[in-house]
Amino acid sequence: MKKYLILAAILAVGSVVHAADLKIGIVNMDKIFREFYKTEEAKKNIEAAQTEAQDALKEKLDVFNKNRDAILELDKELAKEELSQETKEKKAKERNEKAEEYRRMEREIIEFRNARLKALQDQAKRMRDELVQEIRKAVDERIKSKQFDIVFDRSGMSANGVEVVLYSRASDDFSEEVIKDLNGNRPKPTPTPEPTATPKPAPGASPSPTPDFGGKINF
């Protein structure tokens, strides 16, 4: 037993000596992702695509709601006792046709919302993956130039929700250098036109509600 303890101690000392020879680097992938100029561009593209989808959904909902209002109005007409039998039959037929159209539109709106939401989620994931790939390439180039043996991501979390890197010297972190590399070829910003003023609703009128598109696409 004593022999095994001595052997373990020797191995431990050897491991410490070997670890001392390692060149360890620290990087904050979350910080790099957030400060990479292409991330903000991708975020704006996703938001624009979501706004476009919301506008298209709103148009469909406007037609859908008008059809619903027409059905309710026909229900009121059919409730009138003074209507002739012929008129009632005519309005009942019209009401049934609009109800069938209402159900068809409802199915189309649900399918449209689900399809566009999935398309936006897939687009966001694809753009994130492309950005991460570009960031990894820049990180790898710095790792090679600095000849690191091991690099830890300080923004990483363990399975228990604890930071993987609890402490590191600031000199070990080369995140700012990677950010500088990535943003070095950033194109000059183009002047943006002034936003058009949104007309205010008439007094007493309720503003049009924004259609529910299943929540914001996080990027």
Side-chain angles (χ1 to χ4, degrees), residues 7-24 150:
L7 178 60
I10 293 173
L11 291 174
V13 171
S15 298
V16 171
V17 173
H18 181 65
D21 296 333
L22 292 176
K23 189 174 182 181
I24 299 175
I150 299 176

Side-chain angles (χ1 to χ4, degrees), residues 40-198:
E40 185 62 28
E41 291 180 350
K43 183 180 178 182
K44 289 179 180 179
N45 289 335
I46 289 295
E47 290 175 349
Q50 185 171 8
T51 299
E52 181 182 352
Q54 287 176 332
D55 292 341
L57 178 61
K58 186 178 182 301
E59 290 181 7
K60 292 180 178 294
L61 286 174
D62 288 342
V63 177
F64 178 77
N65 291 331
K66 287 179 181 178
N67 193 36
R68 178 201 59 195
D69 294 341
I71 292 173
L72 295 175
E73 190 62 32
L74 284 170
D75 287 340
K76 292 179 181 178
E77 291 290 325
L78 288 168
K80 295 179 180 179
E81 297 181 357
E82 64 270 20
L83 288 181
S84 65
Q85 185 64 27
E86 182 181 357
T87 303
K88 280 188 177 181
E89 290 177 359
K90 183 179 179 180
K91 288 187 176 294
K93 181 181 179 182
E94 182 182 358
R95 196 251 183 222
N96 290 337
E97 291 175 352
K98 286 191 175 294
E100 180 61 30
E101 184 181 1
Y102 179 88
R103 288 188 290 270
R104 178 185 60 79
M105 291 179 64
E106 186 176 31
R107 291 191 298 269
E108 288 181 357
I109 287 173
I110 292 173
E111 291 172 0
F112 174 83
R113 179 190 284 118
N114 292 340
R116 292 298 290 268
L117 180 60
K118 185 180 185 305
L120 285 169
Q121 290 172 337
D122 291 344
Q123 181 183 357
K125 182 181 183 303
R126 184 173 63 255
M127 296 176 85
R128 278 195 300 268
D129 291 344
E130 291 174 355
L131 290 173
V132 170
Q133 185 177 1
E134 190 169 352
I135 290 171
R136 279 300 306 268
K137 183 179 178 181
V139 171
D140 290 343
E141 290 176 354
R142 278 288 172 176
I143 290 174
K144 291 177 182 178
S145 65
K146 289 178 172 290
Q147 298 182 337
F148 285 118
D149 297 300
I150 299 176
V151 173
F152 291 101
D153 176 14
R154 69 179 306 113
S155 63
M157 302 292 287
S158 69
N160 296 324
V162 180
E163 296 90 344
V164 174
V165 179
L166 297 179
Y167 170 77
S168 66
R169 293 177 302 181
S171 58
D172 295 331
D173 193 327
F174 61 101
S175 301
E176 290 294 341
E177 297 174 42
V178 176
I179 294 171
K180 185 178 179 180
D181 293 339
L182 289 168
N183 293 336
N185 59 346
R186 181 174 188 170
K188 294 181 179 180
T190 56
T192 55
E194 295 183 3
T196 305
T198 304

